[in-house]
Structures are given as C-alpha cells and as structure tokens.
Amino acid sequence: MIQKEDLKYYLFIFLTLFVYFWNFWFNAIWIPNESFYAEAVREMFESGNFLDIYYNYEPRFNKPPLTYWSIALSVFIFGMNEFAIRLPIVLMAFGSSFLTYKIANLLFDKKTAIFSFFAMALSFQFIINSRYASPEVPLLFFFTLTLYLFLKGYKENKFLYIFLSYVSLGLTVLTKGYPYILVIGGIVGLYLLAESNFNVKTWLNKIWQLKPYIGLPITLIIGLSWFVYMHLKFGSMFWQVYNEETIKRAFGEEFKFSDIFFYLIVILWGFLPYSLVFYFSLIDSYKKWLKEFSFIFSWFIVMLVIFTIAKGKIPTYFIQAFPALSIFVGYYLANYNPDGFKKYLWYFSFFVATIIITVLNFGIVYLFKLDYFYYIFCVFPFLYLIRYKDYKLLPFIAMLMTFLIFAISLLVKVEHYRPYKEIGKIVNEKVPDRSIPLIIENRFFHNLPFYTKRKVLRDYSSNQILEYQNNHKYILALVEEDTLKKLNNVEVVWNGYLYPNSESRFAVFLRNVYKAENGDYFGFVKMYLVVGEK
C-alpha cells in the first residue's frame, strides 16, 4: 500500500514518464545520428531487405543491426513516423531506469532503489540521448539487463537467470559490437574476484559455476550471427568500415596524459544533477568499495579503466556506467546522515547543482521569451524545499523542470528552425517520381533522405548543378541565391533558412536559434528549393 509520505515520489515518477514520452514524436528527425537510423529503416521497408543496412541508398556498416530492427518492428506496428521511430528508444530508456531500480533493490533495499531510479532517470546525458533514435540507449538497456540477470542468478543461485544473461549479452553485442563482451566480462570478473576475497582458486570456481562453456557459445551465436553474414556478403569492405568504428577508435590515436581525466570530467556535467553527490559518495565510501559496494565499484572502475585506456574519447561511451553511479547516489540518499564538516559538504553537493540548473532555467525562459508561467517552474524546487523540508530531491526536481520547459515549450520554438518535414512534403508533392534525386549545394542535411524519400546528392558545387541541369531532363535542388540566378526554367517552390552545421552540438545550435529569434540569421544559410524541366 502506498504511504502518504511517498505520494510525492510517485508524482515525480509520473512527471518523469511525462518528460520521457511527451513531445518525442512532434519533432522532425534530430541530428545526423538519428537520421541514419530513421532513413535506414525506411529503406529497409522500401526494399524489403532487413539484413543489409543502407543509408541514402549506400551501404552503412558502422553499427550492428539490433537498433535498426527494434525501430523497424515499431514502424511495422505504428507506421513510418517519428513516434514509431523513437518509441523503442523511449521504452528502453525507461527500462534502463527500471533496471537500475531492480539492481539497487537486489543489492540493498526499496528506498535505495527509489532514489537510484531518480538519480538515473533524469541524469543529463542519459535523458538527452533517450529522446532520439540512436544505439546508445538500446546498448545501455541490454548492457544493464545483462548485469541484472547475472546478479539475480548469482545471488539466488538460479542458472536460468545466468543463461538469460548470456542471451542478453549476445543482444548487447548485436547492438554495438563484440568489444562489450570484454567490458561486461571484466565487470563480472572483478566482482567475483572481490567476492572471492581475491583468492584465485575460489574465483575460478565461481566463474566455472556460471557455466561459460554453455553460455558463451550462445552469446557468440546471437551476437556474431550478423557479423558472419556481413563477412560472407561484403567481405573486407564491411570489415574496413566496421573496424574504423571499433579497433581504430580504441587504439588508433596517441594516448595523452589529459585522457586520464576525460571521463571524470564527463561525469561532472553528464551525470548532473547528482554528479557532485556521486563524487562525495565515492570518496566517502572508499573503505567500503570492495565490501558493501563490490558490484557497483566493479562496474564503475572497469568501465573507467577500459574507456580511459581506449584512445577514442566520446562522452556517450560512459552512459553505460550511469546505473552504477545512480546506485551509489541512491544508497547515500537513502542512508546517509553526516555531521560536522561533512554535513556542509553534503549539503553543498545538492545546493550547488540545484542553483546552477535553476539559473539555467531562468536564462532559458528569459532569453527565449517563453511564457511567464515558466518562471513558476524555475522556482518550484525551492517551493518544494519550503513545503517538505526535503533537500535530497532538489537537484532532481530542478532538472525535471528543465526538461519540462524543453519538452513543452523550447523544443516547439526550436522546431521552426528545422523545416525538414515541410521541405519533404513539398518535394514529394511537386516531384512524386522518387527516381529523381535531390541535389544540395555545398553541404548535406542528413534528415532530407528520410523526408524526401529519395537519393540525395550532397556537396554539389554550383558548376556541378549547372552541368547536371544541362544533362538531365529534370532537376530538383536546394541551392543558394547565386546559383539560383544561373539556373534556367526552374520554379522556386520553397525558400528559407537552414542550419548548415550539426545539431548534435546542441548548445551551439541553440545559441544560433536565439540569435535568429532576434533577427540575426548569420548562423543559418538561405536556401532555395527549385524544380525544373527541360
């Protein structure tokens, strides 16, 4: 039965779900990464081939297929639209938060699990990646599921769960690649070593009890099946591209001393709003790392070491450690009541994050001239503090307000500067023959293959466009003003401003949107959509 004092927690869980699901189908396809998955799935349905992955009608070997397949299943059920494309990602994002809850409950208790859920659910980098189609969240889901099934099987001595963890590990490989066998194997191996009090003989016995001679073949059959198929069909062409994504990112760059601190800094901003609380908890618990927190410590330290050693440094690589970070935080939120100087440091870690996020919220509302109503959202964390005298959820509530402001208002305003759906609709109405490609002058907009439902010829110079018109009966092109003046017998069916750089650098994109709101379109390029026939 729900206790009265817990009602506020369930309200915040509901609002978190609202943030997860609201608005994610209203926006056009976001950033290059999402465009790759949306268009590849559209081409799968167009061709009827769900094994070979193509983007813009060219082979795409960069990632394994499970993310594409999960999106394709959703599209099969709900149709080809943004809702269907993003639904699997949103469900797996919530599933990852729920699995974090389950692991925390398995290791500690329900109260720790609830706080772990809150720390995970709105961690900054995680929730940003949970609102568009990309492999980071599916990887996180299967990664966390694998560790949960292992832990449950190990704790309860039930091989069925261990077996299912091998299956889940295979799905993890099918999502991002075979290196994750080593990552998850390292986490499990270090945890069992700590459980064995670093006795090698006992450790080996524990590993043998997991029956890897049964499980690993299952993992390899599931995880490497697609790789075998791609090798047989495309051979070295496949491996050349795929190894660029794996081997060269791991070993292809010179290691620098500053790389040691890369992911420690990523945690500082990526795990907001509880990053300072995490660091406090980690330092305070150093004597308990291999006792009370052996599983969580193994998870965190193995990922930190492996990805620090790896030469390629991308912040999203570390999202798979966020459940471990969240459980650290959840345990301290549920159980820690310091005194003396530690008490002030403890409070500091909450209030600094809350104030930073609140200032950010005020800045967004003011700069983008959002409705005055949203100022209530900005001050709501402190109203909550006054009412409930509960400081532990302050950072979570501040971040919740941020994403409510984004979901309800800011992203709607930003969408006016992303007219890809409008362009696609005009193209398909004016030029229904999809064999006629769209030419783009001097650049490429990754969304347009999906919305125009045709091949897009990228980075054409003005001379190439003029030559194309001379040699073909029809022309369909996005051009700049100087080239427009040189074209003959064309009709301008749309004109407007497009953002020429990657929207994945969202802060930079948002800055240019702010300038455009004030009449400065310097960060955008004026383009003209033209159609013509000889």
Side-chain angles (χ1 to χ4, degrees), residues 67 88-94 96 125-132 134-143 175 319-320:
T67 303
I89 309 303
V90 174
L91 291 176
M92 283 189 269
F94 183 74
S96 300
Q125 194 176 16
F126 164 62
I127 195 170
I128 284 176
N129 281 272
S130 72
R131 68 171 315 277
Y132 60 82
S134 73
E136 279 71 33
V137 169
L139 172 62
L140 172 64
F141 175 77
F142 289 112
F143 189 107
T175 303
I319 293 176
Q320 285 71 50

PDB file of all heavy atoms in Angstrom, residues 67 88-94 96 125-132 134-143 175 319-320:
ATOM      1  N   THR A  67      19.469  -2.071 -33.132  1.00  0.00           N
ATOM      2  CA  THR A  67      18.737  -0.802 -33.018  1.00  0.00           C
ATOM      3  C   THR A  67      17.835  -0.600 -34.230  1.00  0.00           C
ATOM      4  O   THR A  67      16.669  -0.208 -34.091  1.00  0.00           O
ATOM      5  CB  THR A  67      19.713   0.383 -32.881  1.00  0.00           C
ATOM      6  OG1 THR A  67      20.565   0.178 -31.756  1.00  0.00           O
ATOM      7  CG2 THR A  67      18.951   1.691 -32.702  1.00  0.00           C
ATOM      8  N   PRO A  88      10.785   2.755 -29.469  1.00  0.00           N
ATOM      9  CA  PRO A  88      11.651   1.752 -28.834  1.00  0.00           C
ATOM     10  C   PRO A  88      12.735   2.368 -27.971  1.00  0.00           C
ATOM     11  O   PRO A  88      13.092   1.817 -26.924  1.00  0.00           O
ATOM     12  CB  PRO A  88      12.260   1.001 -30.031  1.00  0.00           C
ATOM     13  CG  PRO A  88      11.388   1.305 -31.181  1.00  0.00           C
ATOM     14  CD  PRO A  88      10.828   2.670 -30.938  1.00  0.00           C
ATOM     15  N   ILE A  89      13.248   3.519 -28.392  1.00  0.00           N
ATOM     16  CA  ILE A  89      14.313   4.177 -27.633  1.00  0.00           C
ATOM     17  C   ILE A  89      13.772   4.662 -26.290  1.00  0.00           C
ATOM     18  O   ILE A  89      14.400   4.482 -25.238  1.00  0.00           O
ATOM     19  CB  ILE A  89      14.902   5.361 -28.431  1.00  0.00           C
ATOM     20  CG1 ILE A  89      15.284   4.923 -29.845  1.00  0.00           C
ATOM     21  CG2 ILE A  89      16.088   5.961 -27.689  1.00  0.00           C
ATOM     22  CD1 ILE A  89      16.248   3.773 -29.921  1.00  0.00           C
ATOM     23  N   VAL A  90      12.589   5.273 -26.323  1.00  0.00           N
ATOM     24  CA  VAL A  90      11.992   5.784 -25.094  1.00  0.00           C
ATOM     25  C   VAL A  90      11.652   4.635 -24.139  1.00  0.00           C
ATOM     26  O   VAL A  90      11.888   4.721 -22.930  1.00  0.00           O
ATOM     27  CB  VAL A  90      10.733   6.619 -25.416  1.00  0.00           C
ATOM     28  CG1 VAL A  90      10.016   7.027 -24.143  1.00  0.00           C
ATOM     29  CG2 VAL A  90      11.114   7.856 -26.210  1.00  0.00           C
ATOM     30  N   LEU A  91      11.111   3.553 -24.681  1.00  0.00           N
ATOM     31  CA  LEU A  91      10.780   2.397 -23.836  1.00  0.00           C
ATOM     32  C   LEU A  91      12.034   1.796 -23.213  1.00  0.00           C
ATOM     33  O   LEU A  91      12.037   1.436 -22.028  1.00  0.00           O
ATOM     34  CB  LEU A  91      10.042   1.345 -24.664  1.00  0.00           C
ATOM     35  CG  LEU A  91       8.629   1.713 -25.127  1.00  0.00           C
ATOM     36  CD1 LEU A  91       8.053   0.621 -26.022  1.00  0.00           C
ATOM     37  CD2 LEU A  91       7.709   1.952 -23.932  1.00  0.00           C
ATOM     38  N   MET A  92      13.111   1.713 -23.990  1.00  0.00           N
ATOM     39  CA  MET A  92      14.350   1.147 -23.437  1.00  0.00           C
ATOM     40  C   MET A  92      15.020   2.116 -22.466  1.00  0.00           C
ATOM     41  O   MET A  92      15.722   1.695 -21.547  1.00  0.00           O
ATOM     42  CB  MET A  92      15.291   0.747 -24.572  1.00  0.00           C
ATOM     43  CG  MET A  92      14.877  -0.553 -25.236  1.00  0.00           C
ATOM     44  SD  MET A  92      16.086  -1.215 -26.422  1.00  0.00           S
ATOM     45  CE  MET A  92      15.501  -0.452 -27.925  1.00  0.00           C
ATOM     46  N   ALA A  93      14.804   3.414 -22.654  1.00  0.00           N
ATOM     47  CA  ALA A  93      15.321   4.390 -21.688  1.00  0.00           C
ATOM     48  C   ALA A  93      14.627   4.201 -20.339  1.00  0.00           C
ATOM     49  O   ALA A  93      15.295   4.130 -19.295  1.00  0.00           O
ATOM     50  CB  ALA A  93      15.104   5.810 -22.206  1.00  0.00           C
ATOM     51  N   PHE A  94      13.306   4.117 -20.381  1.00  0.00           N
ATOM     52  CA  PHE A  94      12.594   3.882 -19.121  1.00  0.00           C
ATOM     53  C   PHE A  94      12.966   2.514 -18.551  1.00  0.00           C
ATOM     54  O   PHE A  94      13.126   2.355 -17.334  1.00  0.00           O
ATOM     55  CB  PHE A  94      11.089   3.979 -19.321  1.00  0.00           C
ATOM     56  CG  PHE A  94      10.317   3.812 -18.041  1.00  0.00           C
ATOM     57  CD1 PHE A  94      10.283   4.831 -17.106  1.00  0.00           C
ATOM     58  CD2 PHE A  94       9.658   2.627 -17.765  1.00  0.00           C
ATOM     59  CE1 PHE A  94       9.591   4.683 -15.904  1.00  0.00           C
ATOM     60  CE2 PHE A  94       8.961   2.470 -16.574  1.00  0.00           C
ATOM     61  CZ  PHE A  94       8.929   3.501 -15.640  1.00  0.00           C
ATOM     62  N   SER A  96      15.802   1.044 -18.782  1.00  0.00           N
ATOM     63  CA  SER A  96      17.122   1.150 -18.156  1.00  0.00           C
ATOM     64  C   SER A  96      17.020   1.737 -16.753  1.00  0.00           C
ATOM     65  O   SER A  96      17.701   1.286 -15.825  1.00  0.00           O
ATOM     66  CB  SER A  96      18.038   2.019 -19.022  1.00  0.00           C
ATOM     67  OG  SER A  96      18.192   1.463 -20.308  1.00  0.00           O
ATOM     68  N   GLN A 125      23.068  13.512 -19.479  1.00  0.00           N
ATOM     69  CA  GLN A 125      23.472  12.934 -20.756  1.00  0.00           C
ATOM     70  C   GLN A 125      22.580  11.757 -21.148  1.00  0.00           C
ATOM     71  O   GLN A 125      22.289  11.549 -22.330  1.00  0.00           O
ATOM     72  CB  GLN A 125      24.927  12.483 -20.680  1.00  0.00           C
ATOM     73  CG  GLN A 125      25.541  12.191 -22.034  1.00  0.00           C
ATOM     74  CD  GLN A 125      27.004  11.854 -21.924  1.00  0.00           C
ATOM     75  OE1 GLN A 125      27.511  11.546 -20.862  1.00  0.00           O
ATOM     76  NE2 GLN A 125      27.707  11.913 -23.040  1.00  0.00           N
ATOM     77  N   PHE A 126      22.124  11.016 -20.161  1.00  0.00           N
ATOM     78  CA  PHE A 126      21.251   9.873 -20.439  1.00  0.00           C
ATOM     79  C   PHE A 126      19.926  10.318 -21.051  1.00  0.00           C
ATOM     80  O   PHE A 126      19.492   9.800 -22.080  1.00  0.00           O
ATOM     81  CB  PHE A 126      21.009   9.089 -19.145  1.00  0.00           C
ATOM     82  CG  PHE A 126      19.846   8.148 -19.209  1.00  0.00           C
ATOM     83  CD1 PHE A 126      19.826   7.097 -20.110  1.00  0.00           C
ATOM     84  CD2 PHE A 126      18.759   8.315 -18.359  1.00  0.00           C
ATOM     85  CE1 PHE A 126      18.729   6.226 -20.169  1.00  0.00           C
ATOM     86  CE2 PHE A 126      17.680   7.461 -18.411  1.00  0.00           C
ATOM     87  CZ  PHE A 126      17.667   6.413 -19.322  1.00  0.00           C
ATOM     88  N   ILE A 127      19.266  11.287 -20.427  1.00  0.00           N
ATOM     89  CA  ILE A 127      17.934  11.652 -20.919  1.00  0.00           C
ATOM     90  C   ILE A 127      18.021  12.398 -22.251  1.00  0.00           C
ATOM     91  O   ILE A 127      17.107  12.295 -23.085  1.00  0.00           O
ATOM     92  CB  ILE A 127      17.144  12.466 -19.877  1.00  0.00           C
ATOM     93  CG1 ILE A 127      15.661  12.487 -20.271  1.00  0.00           C
ATOM     94  CG2 ILE A 127      17.711  13.858 -19.724  1.00  0.00           C
ATOM     95  CD1 ILE A 127      14.751  13.044 -19.233  1.00  0.00           C
ATOM     96  N   ILE A 128      19.110  13.113 -22.507  1.00  0.00           N
ATOM     97  CA  ILE A 128      19.276  13.734 -23.818  1.00  0.00           C
ATOM     98  C   ILE A 128      19.313  12.660 -24.906  1.00  0.00           C
ATOM     99  O   ILE A 128      18.677  12.784 -25.952  1.00  0.00           O
ATOM    100  CB  ILE A 128      20.558  14.588 -23.848  1.00  0.00           C
ATOM    101  CG1 ILE A 128      20.353  15.895 -23.092  1.00  0.00           C
ATOM    102  CG2 ILE A 128      20.981  14.896 -25.286  1.00  0.00           C
ATOM    103  CD1 ILE A 128      21.588  16.748 -22.994  1.00  0.00           C
ATOM    104  N   ASN A 129      20.048  11.584 -24.656  1.00  0.00           N
ATOM    105  CA  ASN A 129      20.156  10.509 -25.635  1.00  0.00           C
ATOM    106  C   ASN A 129      18.897   9.658 -25.713  1.00  0.00           C
ATOM    107  O   ASN A 129      18.746   8.885 -26.669  1.00  0.00           O
ATOM    108  CB  ASN A 129      21.354   9.616 -25.307  1.00  0.00           C
ATOM    109  CG  ASN A 129      22.666  10.220 -25.746  1.00  0.00           C
ATOM    110  OD1 ASN A 129      23.103  10.035 -26.873  1.00  0.00           O
ATOM    111  ND2 ASN A 129      23.304  10.968 -24.853  1.00  0.00           N
ATOM    112  N   SER A 130      17.994   9.807 -24.745  1.00  0.00           N
ATOM    113  CA  SER A 130      16.788   8.972 -24.727  1.00  0.00           C
ATOM    114  C   SER A 130      15.654   9.546 -25.566  1.00  0.00           C
ATOM    115  O   SER A 130      14.608   8.910 -25.679  1.00  0.00           O
ATOM    116  CB  SER A 130      16.300   8.798 -23.286  1.00  0.00           C
ATOM    117  OG  SER A 130      15.745   9.999 -22.785  1.00  0.00           O
ATOM    118  N   ARG A 131      15.854  10.709 -26.170  1.00  0.00           N
ATOM    119  CA  ARG A 131      14.739  11.322 -26.899  1.00  0.00           C
ATOM    120  C   ARG A 131      14.922  11.281 -28.413  1.00  0.00           C
ATOM    121  O   ARG A 131      14.170  11.886 -29.140  1.00  0.00           O
ATOM    122  CB  ARG A 131      14.484  12.748 -26.421  1.00  0.00           C
ATOM    123  CG  ARG A 131      15.540  13.754 -26.739  1.00  0.00           C
ATOM    124  CD  ARG A 131      15.066  15.169 -26.412  1.00  0.00           C
ATOM    125  NE  ARG A 131      13.730  15.424 -26.882  1.00  0.00           N
ATOM    126  CZ  ARG A 131      13.429  15.791 -28.126  1.00  0.00           C
ATOM    127  NH1 ARG A 131      14.375  15.911 -29.021  1.00  0.00           N
ATOM    128  NH2 ARG A 131      12.172  16.026 -28.453  1.00  0.00           N
ATOM    129  N   TYR A 132      15.920  10.578 -28.895  1.00  0.00           N
ATOM    130  CA  TYR A 132      16.045  10.395 -30.338  1.00  0.00           C
ATOM    131  C   TYR A 132      16.659   9.020 -30.608  1.00  0.00           C
ATOM    132  O   TYR A 132      17.282   8.400 -29.744  1.00  0.00           O
ATOM    133  CB  TYR A 132      16.880  11.504 -30.982  1.00  0.00           C
ATOM    134  CG  TYR A 132      18.301  11.634 -30.481  1.00  0.00           C
ATOM    135  CD1 TYR A 132      19.312  10.820 -30.975  1.00  0.00           C
ATOM    136  CD2 TYR A 132      18.624  12.598 -29.531  1.00  0.00           C
ATOM    137  CE1 TYR A 132      20.605  10.936 -30.529  1.00  0.00           C
ATOM    138  CE2 TYR A 132      19.927  12.731 -29.075  1.00  0.00           C
ATOM    139  CZ  TYR A 132      20.909  11.906 -29.581  1.00  0.00           C
ATOM    140  OH  TYR A 132      22.197  12.027 -29.135  1.00  0.00           O
ATOM    141  N   SER A 134      19.057   6.353 -31.601  1.00  0.00           N
ATOM    142  CA  SER A 134      20.488   6.085 -31.742  1.00  0.00           C
ATOM    143  C   SER A 134      20.783   4.842 -30.914  1.00  0.00           C
ATOM    144  O   SER A 134      19.954   4.426 -30.095  1.00  0.00           O
ATOM    145  CB  SER A 134      21.326   7.279 -31.263  1.00  0.00           C
ATOM    146  OG  SER A 134      21.305   7.369 -29.862  1.00  0.00           O
ATOM    147  N   PRO A 135      21.962   4.230 -31.058  1.00  0.00           N
ATOM    148  CA  PRO A 135      22.217   2.962 -30.353  1.00  0.00           C
ATOM    149  C   PRO A 135      22.614   3.103 -28.894  1.00  0.00           C
ATOM    150  O   PRO A 135      22.707   2.091 -28.198  1.00  0.00           O
ATOM    151  CB  PRO A 135      23.367   2.353 -31.167  1.00  0.00           C
ATOM    152  CG  PRO A 135      24.086   3.532 -31.723  1.00  0.00           C
ATOM    153  CD  PRO A 135      23.028   4.571 -32.007  1.00  0.00           C
ATOM    154  N   GLU A 136      22.840   4.327 -28.403  1.00  0.00           N
ATOM    155  CA  GLU A 136      23.337   4.474 -27.030  1.00  0.00           C
ATOM    156  C   GLU A 136      22.359   3.916 -25.998  1.00  0.00           C
ATOM    157  O   GLU A 136      22.760   3.196 -25.072  1.00  0.00           O
ATOM    158  CB  GLU A 136      23.635   5.950 -26.739  1.00  0.00           C
ATOM    159  CG  GLU A 136      24.964   6.437 -27.255  1.00  0.00           C
ATOM    160  CD  GLU A 136      25.008   6.555 -28.754  1.00  0.00           C
ATOM    161  OE1 GLU A 136      23.964   6.876 -29.366  1.00  0.00           O
ATOM    162  OE2 GLU A 136      26.084   6.317 -29.340  1.00  0.00           O
ATOM    163  N   VAL A 137      21.088   4.247 -26.125  1.00  0.00           N
ATOM    164  CA  VAL A 137      20.107   3.778 -25.140  1.00  0.00           C
ATOM    165  C   VAL A 137      19.817   2.283 -25.289  1.00  0.00           C
ATOM    166  O   VAL A 137      19.762   1.571 -24.284  1.00  0.00           O
ATOM    167  CB  VAL A 137      18.820   4.623 -25.211  1.00  0.00           C
ATOM    168  CG1 VAL A 137      17.702   3.985 -24.387  1.00  0.00           C
ATOM    169  CG2 VAL A 137      19.108   6.035 -24.683  1.00  0.00           C
ATOM    170  N   PRO A 138      19.617   1.737 -26.513  1.00  0.00           N
ATOM    171  CA  PRO A 138      19.493   0.276 -26.611  1.00  0.00           C
ATOM    172  C   PRO A 138      20.702  -0.458 -26.031  1.00  0.00           C
ATOM    173  O   PRO A 138      20.545  -1.487 -25.360  1.00  0.00           O
ATOM    174  CB  PRO A 138      19.367   0.046 -28.124  1.00  0.00           C
ATOM    175  CG  PRO A 138      18.730   1.294 -28.626  1.00  0.00           C
ATOM    176  CD  PRO A 138      19.324   2.397 -27.798  1.00  0.00           C
ATOM    177  N   LEU A 139      21.907   0.060 -26.284  1.00  0.00           N
ATOM    178  CA  LEU A 139      23.093  -0.554 -25.691  1.00  0.00           C
ATOM    179  C   LEU A 139      23.010  -0.514 -24.173  1.00  0.00           C
ATOM    180  O   LEU A 139      23.284  -1.517 -23.499  1.00  0.00           O
ATOM    181  CB  LEU A 139      24.350   0.166 -26.172  1.00  0.00           C
ATOM    182  CG  LEU A 139      25.654  -0.244 -25.477  1.00  0.00           C
ATOM    183  CD1 LEU A 139      25.961  -1.710 -25.729  1.00  0.00           C
ATOM    184  CD2 LEU A 139      26.812   0.636 -25.945  1.00  0.00           C
ATOM    185  N   LEU A 140      22.651   0.643 -23.623  1.00  0.00           N
ATOM    186  CA  LEU A 140      22.520   0.766 -22.170  1.00  0.00           C
ATOM    187  C   LEU A 140      21.505  -0.231 -21.626  1.00  0.00           C
ATOM    188  O   LEU A 140      21.742  -0.887 -20.597  1.00  0.00           O
ATOM    189  CB  LEU A 140      22.091   2.192 -21.807  1.00  0.00           C
ATOM    190  CG  LEU A 140      21.727   2.438 -20.342  1.00  0.00           C
ATOM    191  CD1 LEU A 140      22.935   2.221 -19.445  1.00  0.00           C
ATOM    192  CD2 LEU A 140      21.164   3.843 -20.153  1.00  0.00           C
ATOM    193  N   PHE A 141      20.373  -0.379 -22.313  1.00  0.00           N
ATOM    194  CA  PHE A 141      19.331  -1.284 -21.837  1.00  0.00           C
ATOM    195  C   PHE A 141      19.824  -2.730 -21.786  1.00  0.00           C
ATOM    196  O   PHE A 141      19.708  -3.402 -20.749  1.00  0.00           O
ATOM    197  CB  PHE A 141      18.095  -1.184 -22.734  1.00  0.00           C
ATOM    198  CG  PHE A 141      17.020  -2.174 -22.386  1.00  0.00           C
ATOM    199  CD1 PHE A 141      16.201  -1.969 -21.283  1.00  0.00           C
ATOM    200  CD2 PHE A 141      16.842  -3.320 -23.150  1.00  0.00           C
ATOM    201  CE1 PHE A 141      15.220  -2.886 -20.945  1.00  0.00           C
ATOM    202  CE2 PHE A 141      15.867  -4.250 -22.818  1.00  0.00           C
ATOM    203  CZ  PHE A 141      15.055  -4.023 -21.719  1.00  0.00           C
ATOM    204  N   PHE A 142      20.388  -3.225 -22.868  1.00  0.00           N
ATOM    205  CA  PHE A 142      20.828  -4.626 -22.891  1.00  0.00           C
ATOM    206  C   PHE A 142      22.060  -4.837 -22.013  1.00  0.00           C
ATOM    207  O   PHE A 142      22.215  -5.904 -21.402  1.00  0.00           O
ATOM    208  CB  PHE A 142      21.089  -5.069 -24.331  1.00  0.00           C
ATOM    209  CG  PHE A 142      19.838  -5.228 -25.142  1.00  0.00           C
ATOM    210  CD1 PHE A 142      19.557  -4.366 -26.194  1.00  0.00           C
ATOM    211  CD2 PHE A 142      18.907  -6.218 -24.828  1.00  0.00           C
ATOM    212  CE1 PHE A 142      18.391  -4.505 -26.929  1.00  0.00           C
ATOM    213  CE2 PHE A 142      17.733  -6.353 -25.563  1.00  0.00           C
ATOM    214  CZ  PHE A 142      17.472  -5.498 -26.607  1.00  0.00           C
ATOM    215  N   PHE A 143      22.917  -3.843 -21.925  1.00  0.00           N
ATOM    216  CA  PHE A 143      24.070  -3.877 -21.037  1.00  0.00           C
ATOM    217  C   PHE A 143      23.608  -4.030 -19.584  1.00  0.00           C
ATOM    218  O   PHE A 143      24.081  -4.914 -18.847  1.00  0.00           O
ATOM    219  CB  PHE A 143      24.857  -2.576 -21.217  1.00  0.00           C
ATOM    220  CG  PHE A 143      26.191  -2.519 -20.544  1.00  0.00           C
ATOM    221  CD1 PHE A 143      27.361  -2.601 -21.288  1.00  0.00           C
ATOM    222  CD2 PHE A 143      26.304  -2.332 -19.171  1.00  0.00           C
ATOM    223  CE1 PHE A 143      28.607  -2.518 -20.673  1.00  0.00           C
ATOM    224  CE2 PHE A 143      27.529  -2.248 -18.552  1.00  0.00           C
ATOM    225  CZ  PHE A 143      28.691  -2.345 -19.299  1.00  0.00           C
ATOM    226  N   THR A 175      23.902  -5.070 -30.652  1.00  0.00           N
ATOM    227  CA  THR A 175      23.549  -3.649 -30.621  1.00  0.00           C
ATOM    228  C   THR A 175      24.743  -2.753 -30.933  1.00  0.00           C
ATOM    229  O   THR A 175      24.617  -1.777 -31.669  1.00  0.00           O
ATOM    230  CB  THR A 175      22.983  -3.266 -29.236  1.00  0.00           C
ATOM    231  OG1 THR A 175      21.849  -4.087 -28.951  1.00  0.00           O
ATOM    232  CG2 THR A 175      22.552  -1.804 -29.201  1.00  0.00           C
ATOM    233  N   ILE A 319      27.848   6.332 -20.728  1.00  0.00           N
ATOM    234  CA  ILE A 319      26.473   6.263 -20.228  1.00  0.00           C
ATOM    235  C   ILE A 319      26.181   4.901 -19.608  1.00  0.00           C
ATOM    236  O   ILE A 319      25.385   4.794 -18.664  1.00  0.00           O
ATOM    237  CB  ILE A 319      25.470   6.578 -21.359  1.00  0.00           C
ATOM    238  CG1 ILE A 319      25.612   8.034 -21.794  1.00  0.00           C
ATOM    239  CG2 ILE A 319      24.034   6.319 -20.920  1.00  0.00           C
ATOM    240  CD1 ILE A 319      24.730   8.408 -22.960  1.00  0.00           C
ATOM    241  N   GLN A 320      26.840   3.848 -20.116  1.00  0.00           N
ATOM    242  CA  GLN A 320      26.591   2.512 -19.572  1.00  0.00           C
ATOM    243  C   GLN A 320      27.050   2.365 -18.116  1.00  0.00           C
ATOM    244  O   GLN A 320      26.697   1.387 -17.456  1.00  0.00           O
ATOM    245  CB  GLN A 320      27.284   1.449 -20.436  1.00  0.00           C
ATOM    246  CG  GLN A 320      26.583   1.172 -21.746  1.00  0.00           C
ATOM    247  CD  GLN A 320      26.706   2.313 -22.722  1.00  0.00           C
ATOM    248  OE1 GLN A 320      27.805   2.813 -22.969  1.00  0.00           O
ATOM    249  NE2 GLN A 320      25.605   2.750 -23.298  1.00  0.00           N
TER     250      GLN A 320
END
